[in-house]
Amino acid sequence: MPAPAPAITVSIVIPMFNEEAVLPLLVDRLRPLADGMGATYEVVAVDDGSSDATPVLLERLRREWPQLRIVRLRANSGHQAAISAGLQRARGDYVVTLDADLQDPPEVIPEMLRVAREDAVDVVYGVREDRSTDTAFKRGSARLFYKTIRRLASIDAPVDAGDYRLMSRATVEAVNSLPEHNRVLRFVVPALGFPSAAVGYTREVRAAGTSKYPLAKMIRLSVDSVTGFSLAPLRFATWLGLLGGVAAFGVLVYAVFARVLGHALPGWTSTVVIVAAVGAVQLLALGILGEYVGRMYAAMQARPTYFIAHDSLESAVGSAESPSRDGADQPHA
Ligand code: UDP
Ligand code: MG
């Protein structure tokens, strides 16, 4: 009974959280480009629970841009969850994900498509060749982030590739089928091992509005990246424990000798230092353990990381089977 699905070559998934300032600029640049691409397309704007005028603007834009599709999440679920929602809903043979703020120039999309077809690869990463427009802090922290995760997790994620990438239908299906929570796509996708290529681009400045990635969200992303791919921190705790054990043994030997040789030990300083050090190491180990237990807890709850409130495609088709979808497409999304 489903209406014949229009064949869509490219889906462009764009997560948006309070992007009212940048939205008109984005449309001005993206639309002529997409229309001139020579391929059927849809733009899947994932409104990540925006509280500004973003939903209103999107609704207005959709009236004169039939290829624009709005997927609204019930609550702000985060950049990665918003992309996941978009991937779940996108229908294209190829799916491109990019930020709304024009830091990822949309002009690269046709190039990605060409590379995917000509080189017959499943994934084309957008790699930032020049990040001079980012702040020194952002660049430094990003570099450290990629290096650490490549080392810890030994996955071959391209350095300086963010979430600007093109994926084939097969790749998108593979990502959608993962049961993982809080997945960090820029590492999940390379870990899948599909044939890939890269296209370089220059990272531009945010066209308007302010960053939706405060330090707390950046830290969360880093922790999710590491705990999602590596047990190294747990082993680090073990090593710290071993090191502490060796040190304690040394202190013990010293204490026995001092006792035998009859040196009066002042004792106070060393005791305090040891107690403090051991306490700190224990708390650190407990914290690390907690991150993994937390991940397991989330996985056991199997609560979706986002809920779709509304998909303009469904309201447009007037599909009777699910007039208002209340949940994410799958329990593990
Ligand atoms: N974003 C989102 N949900 C969030 C935070 C960000 O959908 O909770 C979107 C945001 O609208 C943008 C993209 O994710 O399209 C990247 O965010 P931003 O440009 O603020 O991050 P930055 O470039 O500063 O790291
Ligand atoms: Mg940005």
Side-chain angles (χ1 to χ4, degrees):
M1 178 217 98
I8 289 179
T9 308
V10 186
S11 294
I12 302 171
V13 170
I14 314 177
M16 301 175 183
F17 176 52
N18 292 345
E19 297 290 11
E20 62 181 3
V22 90
L23 202 49
L25 306 173
L26 172 70
V27 173
D28 281 352
R29 241 170 94 182
L30 182 60
R31 182 158 189 195
L33 191 116
D35 286 339
M37 208 161 45
T40 49
Y41 72 92
E42 64 175 353
V43 172
V44 184
V46 184
D47 174 6
D48 186 11
S50 299
S51 52
D52 66 353
T54 303
V56 180
L57 285 176
L58 281 173
E59 232 16 273
R60 200 174 299 156
L61 286 163
R62 195 169 70 85
R63 265 178 243 146
E64 61 229 34
W65 193 8
Q67 286 93 341
L68 178 64
R69 179 176 168 196
I70 307 165
V71 173
R72 161 105 177 154
L73 305 188
R74 287 202 184 279
N76 180 228
S77 312
H79 183 204
Q80 298 296 311
I83 297 178
S84 292
L87 293 183
Q88 193 69 250
R89 289 303 174 111
R91 297 170 293 166
D93 299 331
Y94 293 97
V95 181
V96 180
T97 53
L98 82 158
D99 288 353
D101 59 1
L102 290 171
Q103 285 200 281
D104 307 328
E107 289 74 20
V108 182
I109 297 175
E111 168 82 357
M112 287 177 161
L113 191 61
R114 189 184 58 73
V115 170
R117 283 171 163 164
E118 283 177 8
D119 299 358
V121 290
D122 282 278
V123 185
V124 181
Y125 299 103
V127 175
R128 301 158 188 174
E129 279 175 339
D130 175 6
R131 300 186 59 146
S132 53
T133 54
D134 275 334
T135 62
F137 173 71
K138 187 109 194 169
R139 262 180 298 161
S141 58
R143 186 141 289 264
L144 186 71
F145 173 65
Y146 288 112
K147 276 211 165 142
T148 311
I149 293 174
R150 279 167 65 95
R151 286 275 308 250
L152 288 182
S154 56
I155 35 173
D156 212 7
V159 177
D160 270 344
D163 281 305
Y164 193 14
R165 77 178 84 73
L166 175 142
M167 288 172 272
S168 66
R169 174 71 6 218
T171 314
V172 172
E173 298 293 338
V175 171
N176 289 344
S177 72
L178 294 175
E180 203 174 339
H181 281 253
N182 300 323
R183 54 189 173 211
V184 181
L185 288 159
R186 66 189 65 172
F187 300 110
V188 166
V189 174
L192 293 173
F194 282 90
S196 67
V199 167
Y201 71 98
T202 303
R203 184 94 163 144
E204 294 175 15
V205 285
R206 183 177 246 282
T210 54
S211 174
K212 307 301 176 302
Y213 250 96
L215 189 62
K217 277 189 186 169
M218 274 165 70
I219 292 174
R220 193 65 250 160
L221 185 73
S222 315
V223 172
D224 279 339
S225 304
V226 175
T227 55
F229 277 97
S230 172
L231 296 177
L234 286 176
R235 300 203 183 100
F236 174 67
T238 312
W239 283 110
L240 272 184
L242 280 178
L243 210 70
V246 170
F249 185 73
V251 172
L252 185 88
V253 171
Y254 169 73
V256 170
F257 267 99
R259 174 96 186 147
V260 170
L261 299 178
H263 294 315
L265 272 182
W268 187 80
T269 314
S270 56
T271 311
V272 168
V273 167
I274 290 167
V275 169
V278 169
V281 168
Q282 279 180 340
L283 283 180
L284 178 69
L286 207 61
I288 293 172
L289 204 62
E291 281 297 330
Y292 286 89
V293 174
R295 246 186 124 75
M296 291 199 290
Y297 177 61
M300 276 166 63
Q301 283 179 315
R303 196 177 291 160
T305 46
Y306 60 84
F307 285 96
I308 289 173
H310 161 86
D311 182 340
S312 65
L313 185 72
E314 283 167 2
S315 47
V317 176
S319 105
E321 92 223 46
S322 53
S324 94
R325 296 186 68 121
D326 233 325
D329 298 63
Q330 51 165 137
H332 298 299

